[in-house]
Amino acid sequence: MNSIYSKYKNNQKILNNLVLISIITFFVQYVLKGGWQHHPDSYDYIQGVSAVLHGYDWYDSAVALRPGFVYLSLPFTIFLDHENSLGLQNFLLYLAIGPLMFFYTKKIVSDDKLSYYSAVFLVTSFPIMYWGLSILNDMGSWFFFLLSSYVV
């Protein structure tokens, strides 16, 4: 735990900037799109949360191999509806993926400036903005892929 704190303390200004850029980018997109963006399979995930909460039999071939998105959003359903609990989960992962990309790139190239710009490029890229900040499981997939790459 001390290592995490020391990494944060040594890069505090950069990490705060990344989170601020992520928050501003998110709110601009959220306002311009009029809320959470939906895609054809977004409703499968919303229905999945409802089915799990109410104990219904539920099987959807589109979600069967990706149930983590549904189950990880369940704690947020205590104070949010199903759609917003899925969106909040994506938003939190979106806030975390920028600093994670910074540390991953820094581990490879040992350059703060390049690491910072790679993280900014990631959080403002089209795939992150279009699919990651939607009611889809893509943000979680990208985050955990990057996390596993960083840890190994």
Side-chain angles (χ1 to χ4, degrees):
M1 192 61 146
N2 193 16
S3 175
I4 294 172
Y5 179 73
S6 67
K7 283 184 178 183
Y8 169 74
K9 200 67 175 163
N10 294 338
N11 302 291
Q12 184 175 5
K13 185 177 178 182
I14 291 172
L15 296 176
N16 289 343
N17 284 342
L18 285 173
V19 171
L20 182 63
I21 288 169
S22 297
I23 290 172
I24 291 169
T25 304
F26 167 76
F27 280 114
V28 166
Q29 168 144 347
Y30 189 83
V31 168
L32 290 177
K33 298 287 185 181
W36 298 111
Q37 191 170 358
H38 288 262
H39 295 280
D41 53 343
S42 298
Y43 301 103
D44 296 333
Y45 295 109
I46 295 169
Q47 181 187 28
V49 171
S50 179
V52 169
L53 282 176
H54 297 103
Y56 301 143
D57 287 336
W58 171 67
Y59 175 79
D60 188 339
S61 61
V63 182
L65 298 175
R66 302 179 303 270
F69 184 58
V70 171
Y71 287 102
L72 290 175
S73 69
L74 291 178
F76 302 125
T77 60
I78 295 170
F79 53 90
L80 294 171
D81 64 350
H82 306 325
E83 176 184 359
N84 287 321
S85 65
L86 295 166
L88 178 62
Q89 176 186 341
N90 276 348
F91 174 66
L92 294 175
L93 292 171
Y94 177 66
L95 290 180
I97 203 168
L100 180 60
M101 183 66 175
F102 171 78
F103 286 122
Y104 179 67
T105 308
K106 189 173 179 178
K107 183 178 180 180
I108 296 170
V109 296
S110 301
D111 181 17
D112 284 350
K113 189 174 182 179
L114 181 61
S115 301
Y116 174 73
Y117 286 124
S118 69
V120 169
F121 180 72
L122 177 72
V123 298
T124 58
S125 66
F126 174 77
I128 296 288
M129 302 285 291
Y130 187 73
W131 291 292
L133 293 176
S134 300
I135 305 299
L136 295 172
N137 69 336
D138 294 15
M139 182 58 73
S141 300
W142 293 325
F143 175 81
F144 287 110
F145 175 76
L146 190 58
L147 180 64
S148 64
S149 298
Y150 174 71
V151 171
V152 174

